[in-house]
Amino acid sequence: ALVTENPYIDFDEILVVLSNKIAKKNNWLGTHVIKGKGYNNKIARLNLKTGKITDVYKPEDGSLVCELDLHYDAGKLIFSQPDKNNRYQVMEVGIDGSNRRQVSTIECEHVHNYGGIYLPSEKIVFSSTAPLIGVPCIGGGKSVPNLYLMDPDGQNTRQLTFEQDADWYPTVTADGKIMYLRWEYTDIMHYYSRIMMTMNPDGTNQ
């Protein structure tokens, strides 16, 4: 049903991914374990009042698009997508489908970069498997991401968190801090539990 009378909806459009199938993974693994090809999907704008769908970007090679984050001025967005080597990268595209580009610059075998979010400073926080750390409880068979920071053009990339386990799904809180999920082994049933963490945008005060 179209949203027409909800008083909290004071905007017309939302971003959606329309796909022929759902991309799934175990909750203790990162996006990089999802097979990145074989999708008929696209990023689109959905008008909540009229139902009109406006295409933003559709991959020609059947690669997955996911983890959208809209810029504060609503003129562009970043998302995750496998590159030609089937390694996930943080990508950016205009809200009108123009100027698609790869933002993340860590290029190395086994390294995936994904789940980026814009900061008010224009910098981008994202998850990366660049530490090349394997999950301890499965003998290191799968890698985990930590959080990184980069400039809008992908330069000056540096690591923010230093865990043996995963840091995922960053988001900006109302006071400008970064909230994220951390996989922690200490004092919990580690397989199913996650800890909600916060830090400053520069990685301090975790």
Side-chain angles (χ1 to χ4, degrees):
L2 297 179
V3 178
T4 57
E5 298 180 357
N6 189 323
Y8 292 100
I9 305 299
D10 59 356
F11 51 89
D12 293 336
E13 293 185 328
I14 60 171
L15 285 169
V16 296
V17 173
L18 302 176
S19 180
N20 64 325
K21 59 182 179 180
I22 298 173
K24 297 185 294 184
K25 64 177 181 63
N26 292 321
N27 74 338
W28 48 277
L29 294 173
T31 301
H32 60 285
V33 304
I34 300 174
K35 183 180 179 182
K37 302 295 182 182
Y39 292 84
N40 180 14
N41 63 177
K42 62 183 177 182
I43 300 171
R45 291 156 35 201
L46 170 63
N47 190 300
L48 295 173
K49 298 178 180 177
T50 68
K52 180 183 178 181
I53 294 174
T54 304
D55 291 355
V56 175
Y57 168 65
K58 179 179 175 63
E60 296 180 355
D61 62 354
S63 58
L64 175 67
V65 291
C66 58
E67 300 174 324
L68 314 182
D69 188 62
L70 184 65
H71 189 269
Y72 292 94
D73 67 8
K76 58 186 178 180
L77 65 134
I78 49 178
F79 60 98
S80 304
Q81 180 184 8
D83 61 17
K84 62 182 180 181
N85 298 308
N86 208 28
R87 295 194 290 262
Y88 282 90
Q89 302 293 348
V90 178
M91 308 294 292
E92 185 176 67
V93 68
I95 198 66
D96 60 356
S98 64
N99 302 318
R100 189 182 74 90
R101 67 187 182 98
Q102 179 178 321
V103 183
S104 49
T105 56
I106 306 175
E107 295 277 3
C108 185
E109 187 178 5
H110 308 302
V111 173
H112 299 263
N113 309 294
Y114 53 87
I117 61 165
Y118 291 110
L119 301 185
S121 67
E122 299 292 332
K123 292 180 182 290
I124 295 169
V125 169
F126 65 102
S127 292
S128 178
T129 61
L132 298 178
I133 297 174
V135 180
C137 61
I138 58 171
K142 299 289 184 181
S143 58
V144 296
N146 279 194
L147 294 179
Y148 282 69
L149 179 72
M150 62 180 168
D151 289 345
D153 61 359
Q155 299 302 307
N156 297 312
T157 300
R158 69 180 187 88
Q159 192 170 349
L160 296 179
T161 61
F162 297 81
E163 260 74 82
Q164 71 167 350
D165 307 304
D167 292 317
W168 297 288
Y169 310 117
T171 188
V172 180
T173 61
D175 62 0
K177 291 182 179 179
I178 306 301
M179 183 169 64
Y180 61 99
L181 278 180
R182 176 177 167 184
W183 176 359
E184 175 58 63
Y185 277 89
T186 305
D187 295 330
I188 62 174
M189 293 178 58
H190 69 268
Y191 196 89
Y192 298 104
S193 300
R194 304 292 177 264
I195 296 177
M196 193 72 76
M197 301 283 290
T198 60
M199 66 179 173
N200 295 325
D202 63 358
T204 59
N205 199 32
Q206 294 178 21

